[in-house]
């Protein structure tokens, strides 16, 4: 089944495998008249670029975005924006083991069960490189949202047992450490933790958090298209995410109503605001005007250097040791991907919301 | 925007407000030839029926399902199955406060922001009664899946601070206590905890867990339509859910790769199986043949009897006390709703998967 | 597969069989704040009501629309509008022949091939009564469009060999004859033709035409979601339609470019207009500001009283004579259905168009 | 809005403008295991290639298809197939008039109204080159269908006033004349007619017909997803199509039921067949096992060399003469595009149909 298209009004379609000719995305439903150039895309791609520290794969991937359509004289035309990154740094190498074995924690076995065979080179379609298309589309989505006053702050909240201290939160730190943590002290500790993982031929999980400010209230739908539900799908569709939370998230299960309810009050300008934000900016599936806060829990990189037990395609039990250049942690490079998926989802919700009230539709078409 | 339809090939559309004429669902894409009667639906609706213990609202809601279409001579015809529950026990009463105030933790404010006004009677469309339609559709989905050997075990994992002890897990207990907990001792403790909440005019959150056995490997898609992503959307679209987890869920962030990877091995019958199930039955978005395990964290019932601060529609700060008959906990009645949404999602994935391989399509159309 | 839902942002889902408990529709994505009552729906249903002349079935179908949800205090709430017509006048009768035989020109055989069996009572889901749901939804769509200054004129263009004379076109005549023809003389001739069909135990085809004025230019999309393509699907999804045309329609194949091109010119108010309207109001799939003109060719009622040769479910050749109360022509009752489907399609296109330009989105969210 | 994606389970997304960097398509939902190479695609693209006779533009467009993803070791992998044709033969030229004027019969005006501006180079997204993506996807769809025994015969039925004579129908002729007509004598006449059009600085319309044999009965859905309705949308979404017909098409309006009904009878092998095929292979929206026959009426090429009156972007009336290399007729090059759109639609319907019966689903998952 077709599973590579996401979104309804603002819609993206990704394609490409790790070691094929390229990776790309078609962005459809972008409004006409948005200034856009390849540099806008590149800035986002560079945030997921490997090789920037010892905590990401030393592979050199100079992923260069090329816009093939949908932009004319520096502005989007309203027609599909096709973006491609040609693959350049594939090792032609020996895929023997990946080709014949089911790597634990990977999708090798499930692909074979679904499709009968698979493109085993570098993970094929299940490779992390698939997120290049999402990231490129996210750059467009964030640019649209910024024009509407909606801003993103996305970062690493935790790496293994090391979590940021909210009291030390400093957004300026995010780009100052290779782990994208908004807390310099926590980043230091996390780096030390990752060193031990590497030495131990092991890997670590972690948490990405995304805060979205400037959201108007009233976005999202009350039943299946809850903004929280769509954000959940968007973020859980990123490989390796096993948990998703909005606002207080899983901890609400231990809370009482009195603790968890956010009181409404009047802001100085007379508008309605909430005294707290346990809801994470969404009530009943609809944005409530507070910051949207979401978190994704990533599992540890399944590719580890130590010996693992598994089964091969011939149905024999074997022990394998995964060679190659692998990140000991997925999280830092996934920060921009979480932001991208959240942004794409919110653009779609904003566009869908434009026909929510008859008077607004009437006014729109009268002008 | 249209937000009351869910699913692609197996598709449900719900409608209805808490205190309108009725609540219903249209189930489209159900295969022809499935035996179905109103009793099948009723069994599921009764699992979310209130008034069965002191932990659910004392409202008497004898929700009776009526099948209006799509079934002929005891079998589904392949055309839409329309099911309605007529509302009968609405208090005609005084909605003054709900009508004019924004209840904390509820969708009153966000509805007004989105739509300009709202049907305030009993929560209108954002009422928990909206889940009647989902539950009825879930009954059909579970019946389809049972025919394919796929079975559900869904229960309350935790209520406030009280969690079941996995070592004491006993599925037979689920229907023996009003909280649907598979651990009699934990259920006792949880009941005691809820008593204190009630006395304190407060409410509690909790966790629902769903285990799905008998899933074939290979179901779900590798990118946006990951089975895990669709389950996340399905479950997060239930009111009050703020966190969603698959398998080890949020705890994977603290795990290492060596701990989290599930080794493959050969079962006695020579088939491939996993030695552990940290993945919760899904790898790379595709079912891996192990049990699917998912969890939903529910926030505490926002309607509490104690005094709360808020704002009214006239833009004044006020203190309100929510009257009426409210559950101190959402979780026990939500167990069946989580099961329903998971089942609907899995049916859709199974149907979509039928064209995954060319040879399978060819074989299908040759016979 | 789910095939009873139509539309993307403004979405309808119909359900029900001819002789089941009822027929209905769920309309989702209707903006909040539209005044709506059952009388609005009834007016449309009455236009397809049988028993009004000798040219429609003498069955008395007092189809009464009941709104079950989505309207509060006389206005739409933005949530799904569920409308039902309970079936009341089903003959309990003898379905022996319909049940066991494949009536020529009907869907009996194809339903059996698809689903393995069928609800044979009165045609089941393939009955013309299925259009009740579409018509009810059309009433809502037309009401929305009227508020935006978009008006419909829909009528019978031809019955068998009798076509209206464009020089005699008089919209006031449409409601003055039972055939809904805008030409009194043609209506007389058509009535005479239908009399001969009845006497001959035969039936007639015909053409419905729909003119839509007040359309803004710029609605529709340039590729797959061309307004013309969506109107084609909408209208061809009505039972018995075998041909669809926009503007000059099929006759363009014989035209030359010089004849077919519509010159642009300036209107008195300085706006751009076309000197002619061969395009039928759509250029490149997008509305051009002229009236949209479309036509549907309906086949003759397949239920005729004369003897026909066919096959039964047991695989035997048989001769049958279809009893019962059948219209000698589908067209007059289908006029409102064509209008409904066109209106639903245009509402959806108008809503989708609201995010076509970045500046318009920005302006929308700034206010 | 996103309007460049078509299909549900088998889904295509096209992108690209006439004079941009390239034109492409992403085909998603293609089953794994289909042998596929660039030559398969090229064969289809060559059927729409210009420059092959005096009746198509003398532009040399060596459109070379490159497969960028989704094929591994000669077979489709089940993941998206991205195909691109890089644009090579764009005249860098002077677009002055097209840029500033609204060409009659073209989408210049409607694009400006929708998007505020447009990529005017060679028609941009509304260029006939947009069909390259559809054609490439059609090659894949036809290949799938051929494996299932479903075959296409697509040709020019009429050019201007010259129509083929059904009694002289000879499929072998289709590839023997530049007009793709299955009747050598008609082709000669049509060529002569087109000569006069060219001399007269004029252009001609025409009709494409597509016959699909080997269709199983039971494909398509009874309500909105009628196979006829989806084929209508598919074909009407091709630029310049103004009329669509199934089977007897528009002429059914003049027929009587006795003429139009197809009697069922038993074939020699005992299976059910129809004595005639007025229905064009579809009854009640579902395939009836006979050949599917559909027709598309194309308007004349709007780009003609003679002087035309129009308006420019500055709001002035002007006379223009369209320069450049234009086909005097769209039809011959559109034959393969009609086939492509029909094939894509049928593949999607076949896949959707696989879950129509519970027993078939059960059998599928038991094996």
């Amino acid at each position: 089944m077709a599973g590579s298209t996401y979104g309804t009004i603002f819609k993206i379609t990704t394609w490409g495998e790790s070691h094929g000719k390229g990776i790309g995305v078609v962005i459809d439903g972008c409004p006409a008249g948005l200034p856009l150039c390849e540099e806008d895309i590149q800035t986002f791609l560079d945030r997921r670029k490997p090789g920037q520290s010892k905590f990401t794969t030393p592979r050199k991937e100079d992923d260069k975005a090329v816009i093939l359509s949908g932009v004319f004289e520096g502005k989007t035309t309203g027609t599909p924006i096709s973006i491609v990154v040609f693959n350049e740094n594939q090792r032609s190498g020996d895929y023997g083991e990946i080709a014949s074995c089911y790597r634990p924690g990977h999708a090798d076995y499930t692909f074979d069960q679904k499709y009968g065979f698979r493109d085993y080179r570098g993970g094929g379609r299940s490779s992390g490189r698939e997120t290049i298309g999402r990231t490129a589309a996210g750059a467009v989505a964030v640019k649209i949202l910024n024009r509407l006053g909606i801003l993103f702050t996305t970062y690493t909240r935790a790496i293994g047992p090391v979590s940021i201290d909210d009291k030390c939160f400093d957004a300026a730190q995010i780009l100052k450490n290779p782990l994208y943590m908004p807390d310099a002290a926590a980043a230091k500790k996390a780096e030390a933790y990752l060193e031990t993982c590497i030495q131990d031929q092991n890997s670590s999980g972690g948490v990405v958090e995304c805060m979205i400010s400037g959201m108007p209230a009233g976005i999202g739908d009350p039943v299946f298209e809850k903004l929280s539900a769509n954000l959940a799908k968007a973020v859980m569709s990123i490989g390796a995410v096993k948990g998703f939370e909005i606002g207080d998230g899983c901890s609400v299960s231990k809370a009482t109503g009195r603790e968890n309810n956010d009181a409404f009050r009047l802001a100085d300008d007379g508008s309605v605001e909430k005294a707290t934000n346990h809801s994470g900016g969404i009530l009943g599936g609809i944005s409530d005007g507070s910051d949207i806060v979401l978190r994704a829990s990533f599992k540890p990189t399944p590719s580890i250097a130590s010996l693992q037990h598994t089964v091969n395609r011939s149905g024999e039990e074997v022990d394998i040791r995964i060679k190659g250049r692998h990140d000991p942690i997925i999280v830092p490079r996934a920060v921009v991907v979480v932001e991208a998926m959240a942004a794409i989802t919110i653009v779609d919700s904003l566009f869908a919301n434009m026909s929510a009230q008859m008077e607004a539709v009437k006014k729109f078409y009268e002008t």
Side-chain angles (χ1 to χ4, degrees), chain A:
Chain A
M1 162 165 166
S4 290
T5 295
Y6 179 73
T8 300
I9 303 181
F10 184 80
K11 186 177 282 189
I12 72 166
T13 300
T14 69
W15 57 268
E17 292 91 32
S18 175
H19 285 52
K21 292 194 181 162
I23 295 271
V25 66
V26 182
I27 304 158
D28 198 13
C30 181
L34 179 76
L36 190 74
C37 63
E38 286 168 353
E39 189 54 34
D40 293 322
I41 311 298
Q42 199 60 49
T43 305
F44 266 63
L45 291 187
D46 288 349
R47 288 169 62 192
R48 68 168 292 291
K49 194 172 158 180
Q52 297 173 313
S53 79
K54 60 189 154 187
F55 307 118
T56 58
T57 170
R59 282 194 310 269
K60 204 168 151 288
E61 296 179 357
D62 276 335
D63 296 323
K64 282 292 163 211
V66 181
I67 297 176
L68 295 176
S69 70
V71 176
F72 182 59
E73 298 181 340
K75 287 192 288 186
T76 58
T77 61
T79 60
I81 303 165
S82 178
I83 300 173
V84 65
V85 167
F86 290 102
N87 288 334
E88 289 178 350
N89 189 41
Q90 306 87 346
R91 287 199 184 167
S92 52
D94 166 28
Y95 298 103
E97 232 158 27
I98 300 190
S100 63
C101 288
Y102 297 133
R103 290 170 297 161
H106 277 283
D108 304 334
Y109 174 67
T110 56
F111 265 61
D112 269 13
Q113 289 298 108
K114 182 174 193 72
Y115 297 119
F117 80 118
R118 70 185 190 282
D119 178 348
Y120 48 74
R121 301 167 300 165
R125 184 69 176 149
S126 72
S127 161
R129 284 186 65 75
E130 179 269 325
T131 60
I132 286 176
R134 306 176 183 231
T135 304
V140 177
V142 168
K143 192 155 191 192
I144 292 170
L145 294 174
N146 286 351
R147 299 230 140 192
L148 303 175
I150 299 169
L151 304 175
F152 287 75
T153 310
T154 320
Y155 46 86
T156 301
R157 164 162 280 278
I159 284 183
V162 183
S163 188
I164 62 166
D165 180 346
D166 284 321
K167 293 188 294 293
C168 303
F169 186 99
D170 177 6
Q173 287 297 322
I174 297 173
L175 294 176
K176 292 191 179 152
N177 64 78
L179 302 178
Y180 296 104
M181 293 185 102
D183 172 345
K188 280 270 171 252
K189 275 186 231 165
E191 290 187 36
Y193 175 72
L194 288 177
E195 299 267 12
T196 66
C197 290
I198 294 172
Q199 282 163 17
D200 197 27
Q201 300 190 323
N202 210 340
S203 62
S204 173
V207 178
V208 174
E209 189 164 75
C210 177
M211 291 186 2
I212 306 159
S213 65
M215 273 296 288
I219 308 305
D221 276 276
V223 184
F224 299 116
E225 304 300 325
K226 283 186 167 77
L227 186 52
S228 38
N230 281 325
L231 288 169
K233 173 168 179 172
V235 170
M236 292 285 300
S237 79
I238 303 169
V241 179
K242 304 299 278 189
F244 175 83
E245 301 173 283
I246 284 278
D248 283 6
C250 293
S251 73
V252 296
S253 70
K254 294 198 174 71
T256 67
R258 205 140 57 212
E259 293 157 2
N260 190 252
N261 283 349
D262 300 312
F264 289 103
R265 67 183 183 196
L266 296 176
D268 292 342
D269 66 356
S271 65
V272 177
E273 66 174 20
K274 288 153 52 205
T276 50
N277 189 21
H278 299 292
S279 75
I282 299 178
L283 275 172
I286 302 173
S287 65
D288 63 19
S290 299
D291 286 0
I292 290 178
V293 182
L294 62 86
R295 276 179 305 286
S297 293
F298 284 80
K299 72 177 186 182
T301 317
S303 290
I304 52 176
S306 53
L307 202 70
Q308 295 186 93
H309 192 71
T310 191
V311 170
N312 66 20
R313 290 201 74 188
S314 314
E316 300 156 333
E317 298 204 358
V318 291
D319 287 318
I320 60 164
R321 198 180 286 278
I322 297 173
K323 294 170 215 133
R325 309 156 294 177
H326 301 285
D327 298 356
I329 175 108
I330 291 163
V331 159
R333 296 180 60 199
V335 165
V336 70
V337 184
V338 169
E339 180 171 314
M341 291 307 300
I344 291 162
T345 304
I346 287 173
V347 168
D348 207 24
S349 294
L350 280 161
F351 291 175
N353 180 65
M354 294 177 77
S355 55
Q357 296 189 25
M358 191 64 221
E359 281 312 301
V361 173
K362 194 151 179 282
K363 194 175 155 204
F364 183 94
Y365 278 110
E366 275 169 0
T367 51

